[in-house]
Amino acid sequence: MKKTMILLVILLAACGGNKHANFDSAQVNYVTNDRLESITVSSSDIGENEEEAIFNAKKLAFQNLFFRGISNSPFNKPLIGINEQTEYKKHKDYLNSFYTNRMGTFITSSHESVSKVKGGGRLARIDITINTLALQKDLEEHQVIKKFGL
């Protein structure tokens, strides 16, 4: 029952709109990178419970990497494109599958802390390291982005 509930929360969060669209970039900050193979960012977001808050913070880090870029980092330009709505429509199946099933495979490490917020929700703050080399290859393989140099 608990696994079903967690899966339902993840699916709803992945399919639902982002409630914090105006503040996304301010919620994700560059920490460090290992050449162009990985990037570590600090991300925070809220949710109704601990699992949802952590999921939202991780998703927010990827959304910034995909559609906004990460300021002051080697990944300051978006990996997919700046028009999130257009790109999401073009690659809906890939992105839905990515957020619900595959996002974790590109996370090499994460440190999470969760605190209570007014109204009973939770705020997750995470430092997350993303394997950007593998992520770019996956985006190329699924024809979300063009191969480098083509």
Side-chain angles (χ1 to χ4, degrees):
M1 179 70 178
K2 186 176 180 181
K3 287 182 182 181
T4 304
M5 199 63 164
I6 291 171
L7 181 58
L8 179 60
V9 168
I10 290 172
L11 286 173
L12 289 173
C15 296
N18 191 339
K19 300 173 240 172
H20 313 291
N22 295 333
F23 304 104
D24 286 349
S25 295
Q27 301 293 328
V28 177
N29 298 298
Y30 172 66
V31 176
T32 188
N33 68 294
D34 180 17
R35 296 172 293 224
L36 293 177
E37 294 180 11
S38 68
I39 185 171
T40 302
V41 297
S42 175
S43 179
S44 60
D45 206 342
I46 59 172
E48 290 187 23
N49 56 48
E50 185 173 326
E51 293 83 15
E52 183 180 294
I54 291 169
F55 173 83
N56 289 344
K58 288 177 180 179
K59 181 178 177 184
L60 185 60
F62 281 97
Q63 286 174 319
N64 274 261
L65 195 56
F66 287 160
F67 305 112
R68 292 167 199 83
I70 307 293
S71 297
N72 302 316
S73 82
F75 301 95
N76 61 351
K77 294 184 179 163
L79 288 179
I80 296 178
I82 197 148
N83 191 332
E84 184 172 356
Q85 290 178 342
T86 300
E87 295 297 336
Y88 195 86
K89 285 179 186 175
K90 284 191 331 193
H91 307 291
K92 184 178 181 178
D93 291 339
Y94 173 84
L95 291 170
N96 282 339
S97 171
F98 180 86
Y99 291 129
T100 57
N101 300 316
R102 303 177 57 244
M103 181 169 59
T105 62
F106 299 98
I107 298 172
T108 57
S109 68
S110 70
H111 173 73
E112 304 148 355
S113 66
V114 180
S115 57
K116 291 182 181 181
V117 294
K118 272 187 177 177
R122 300 289 187 266
L123 171 66
R125 291 185 178 102
I126 63 170
D127 286 340
I128 181 173
T129 302
I130 299 169
N131 183 336
T132 50
L133 184 61
L135 180 59
Q136 286 177 310
K137 288 183 180 190
D138 190 68
L139 291 168
E140 290 171 357
E141 183 179 298
H142 288 90
Q143 300 175 341
V144 176
I145 62 174
K146 294 181 180 177
K147 291 188 179 193
F148 181 73
L150 296 179

